[in-house]
Amino acid sequence: MLDGSQPLRLVMRYADGGWAFLCNTTAHIDDLVSVHAHHLFDEFPRDLAALGPLPPGHLAVRDQPGSPWRIEPYVEE
């Protein structure tokens, strides 16, 4: 995802204000990286501009690049 090979498809804003940005194509621990959210907002402004005000406890998901984000409440387990 950071190299542009996979588009962002899932963005989560945890109740504590933390963020997760996923291509939603893998869940393998070796594929995860940690970065500050502002780097992703800077790197992908067109994709993420609408998600800056995403409230804590919500997620945004889309089926493919360019599709509109669907914003839904998110309950952490």
Side-chain angles (χ1 to χ4, degrees):
M1 177 196 79
L2 291 176
D3 64 3
S5 63
Q6 291 292 328
L8 289 168
R9 291 187 179 95
L10 175 64
V11 176
M12 299 169 65
R13 182 93 190 265
Y14 297 107
D16 67 2
W19 293 87
F21 300 85
L22 304 162
C23 61
N24 213 25
T25 59
T26 181
H28 195 279
I29 192 76
D30 290 340
D31 294 329
L32 301 177
V33 296
S34 178
V35 297
H36 288 111
H38 73 88
H39 293 299
L40 291 168
F41 280 100
D42 291 346
E43 184 69 25
F44 303 101
R46 192 172 354 156
D47 282 341
L48 298 177
L51 302 183
L54 187 68
H58 285 73
L59 61 81
V61 64
R62 63 182 178 177
D63 297 322
Q64 60 189 8
S67 294
W69 292 101
R70 294 184 313 273
I71 297 174
E72 307 168 3
Y74 169 68
V75 177
E76 294 179 51
E77 296 178 12

